[in-house]
Structures are given as C-alpha cells and as structure tokens.
Amino acid sequence: RKEVEQDPGPFNVPEGATVAFNCTYSNSASQSFFWYRQDCRKEPKLLMSVYSSGNEDGRFTAQLNRASQYISLLIRDSKLSDSATYLCVVNPSPTNTNAGKSTFGDGTTLTVKP
Amino acid sequence: ETGVTQSPTHLIKTRGQQVTLRCSSQSGHNTVSWYQQALGQGPQFIFQYYREEENGRGNFPPRFSGLQFPNYSSELNVNALELDDSALYLCASSLGGSNNSPLHFGNGTRLTVT
C-alpha cells in the first residue's frame, strides 16, 4: 500500500461545476499537509497548505480529517484554467529517518470543459 | 526574488554513464530537496540537503548522491545510469530544514537514458 493515495481520475467536468478530490495517508504521525498543482510537463506549484481547522482560498477549500487520515480539496465554479493534475503532499513528524521527506501522491487529473 | 533554477533542462545519456544535475535555490532558502518523477507518477523523494549536510534520504541506491554548497546551491549525481533512471528530476528549495515549510520547485531536468 502506498503511503499517500489519490484517485487518479481523470475527472472531466463542465465549467462552473464543483469538484472534490480526496487523498488518504497511512502515517498517523504525519505533521503537515499541502496541495500542489502540476500542469502538463511543468513543475509542481504550491496551491495551498491544509490546516486542521480547514482553510479556504477563493474557490478552493482544503480540509483535513486526522481521525480518518485523509485530506480533501474542493474546487467551486471550475474554470478552464483549473485543468491540471492535483498532487497531495504529506510531511511526517520529523525524526532522524524521515527528516526532510515530503511524500507525494500520484495526483488526480482534472479536465474542465467548456 | 530569484526562484529555483535547474540546469540543464534536457539531457540524453547512455546506459552506464554518469550525470550531474544542478540547482540554485530560491533566494533566502537554505534547504534543497531532490525528487524523481516518472511519467504518470508523483515525485519520489531522493534526498534533502540542509546546511551542506544530507538531511534525509528516500529509497534510492547509493549511486544517487548529492552535494550542497555554501551558497545553498546543490548538485545531484547519478552514476552507472540505468534505463529506469529516465525521468523528470525536480529540485525544490525551502526554508529551515523543517517539515512544515512548503517546497518551491524548479522547472526540472528531463533525463533520457538510452
């Protein structure tokens, strides 16, 4: 089983739709969480951090459920420009063996169509 | 503010050769992490350097090695290249060597091993 798992999709949605992605992680001691966006053949870019209380940035909302060990990303009013692969990232509580290690999911691909 | 820069952008090598990839961190960042991303997968953690010392390593063999210099730039060296080493190699800089600081990626080096 992978440490971080995402539904690969693809998710094909019309403009204006609301879409949600989930990401599960196996290490209960994980400390911090992020969502990144990666366009085709480009580098990943930070979309938002995920806080325990949940957080919102415009049309994007991130949630963390520590008890069930998953994080989610909700995109409202989808735009064509939201088409990309969305990667969740989980950082462990630092110890000597995993210092610096950020674990990425394999990504969920979103295509927003006119 | 200068972002993360990587060189070269593309590289073609033959099996058994050696390669050196270079990365300059974002100004103000003292930590550099290297990732390997195969097609259709998320980035896989290779290692991280903080203050010129290795600060965590993923499941990669010893033929993957690295350096960090006093100006926080970094190199990734891969010896005895194998066909499976063909991938996008991403460098990311961050601040402080902790697991809470988000990663800022360079454009990557696309390595093809034939």
Side-chain angles (χ1 to χ4, degrees), chain A residues 32 36 38 43 91-92 99 102 106, chain B residues 35 37 42 55-56 99 103 106-107:
Chain A
S32 56
Y36 280 73
Q38 186 171 27
E43 75 277 17
N91 289 353
S102 292
D106 286 337
Chain B
Y35 287 80
Q37 187 174 24
N55 183 47
N99 282 0
L103 302 171
N107 293 337

Side-chain angles (χ1 to χ4, degrees), chain B residues 85-108:
Chain B
D85 295 334
S86 296
L88 178 66
Y89 287 85
L90 293 160
C91 168
S93 72
S94 56
L95 188 59
S98 79
N99 282 0
N100 289 328
S101 177
L103 302 171
H104 297 262
F105 285 91
N107 293 337

Side-chain angles (χ1 to χ4, degrees), chain B residues 8-34:
Chain B
T9 53
H10 294 83
L11 202 52
I12 299 174
K13 289 285 190 177
T14 303
R15 191 171 49 184
Q17 286 187 314
Q18 178 266 344
V19 68
T20 297
L21 310 182
R22 296 179 174 82
C23 171
S24 294
S25 61
Q26 181 169 314
S27 58
H29 285 183
N30 55 12
T31 303
V32 172
S33 305
W34 285 93

Side-chain angles (χ1 to χ4, degrees), chain B residues 54-76:
Chain B
E54 189 178 282
N55 183 47
R57 187 179 181 93
N59 295 324
F60 280 81
R63 59 190 185 84
F64 285 78
S65 63
L67 285 172
Q68 187 178 33
F69 300 99
N71 67 353
Y72 305 127
S73 66
S74 177
E75 286 182 356
L76 164 65

Side-chain angles (χ1 to χ4, degrees), chain A residues 25-41:
Chain A
Y25 59 94
S26 59
N27 184 350
S28 60
S30 296
Q31 183 177 51
S32 56
F33 309 87
F34 305 90
W35 283 102
Y36 280 73
R37 170 200 169 118
Q38 186 171 27
D39 293 294
C40 188
R41 302 184 73 82

Side-chain angles (χ1 to χ4, degrees), chain A:
Chain A
R1 183 187 171 193
K2 290 190 174 184
E3 292 181 55
V4 177
E5 294 202 63
Q6 294 183 249
D7 181 346
F11 284 66
N12 297 310
V13 303
E15 269 187 293
T18 295
V19 62
F21 310 134
N22 283 336
C23 169
T24 59
Y25 59 94
S26 59
N27 184 350
S28 60
S30 296
Q31 183 177 51
S32 56
F33 309 87
F34 305 90
W35 283 102
Y36 280 73
R37 170 200 169 118
Q38 186 171 27
D39 293 294
C40 188
R41 302 184 73 82
K42 299 282 191 179
E43 75 277 17
K45 292 187 177 179
L46 178 66
L47 181 64
M48 58 197 302
S49 302
V50 186
Y51 302 121
S52 296
S53 54
N55 49 298
E56 189 173 304
D57 183 2
R59 298 182 293 107
F60 299 84
T61 301
Q63 298 270 354
L64 166 63
N65 186 319
R66 285 190 183 272
S68 300
Q69 294 180 205
Y70 77 83
I71 64 174
S72 63
L73 177 68
L74 181 77
I75 305 175
R76 291 181 298 278
D77 188 23
S78 299
K79 312 290 185 191
L80 296 177
S81 58
D82 293 334
S83 297
T85 296
Y86 291 83
L87 300 160
C88 73
V89 181
V90 175
N91 289 353
S93 181
T95 65
N96 285 340
T97 58
N98 62 26
K101 180 181 177 182
S102 292
T103 303
F104 283 73
D106 286 337
T108 298
T109 300
L110 171 67
T111 302
V112 181
K113 299 187 174 180

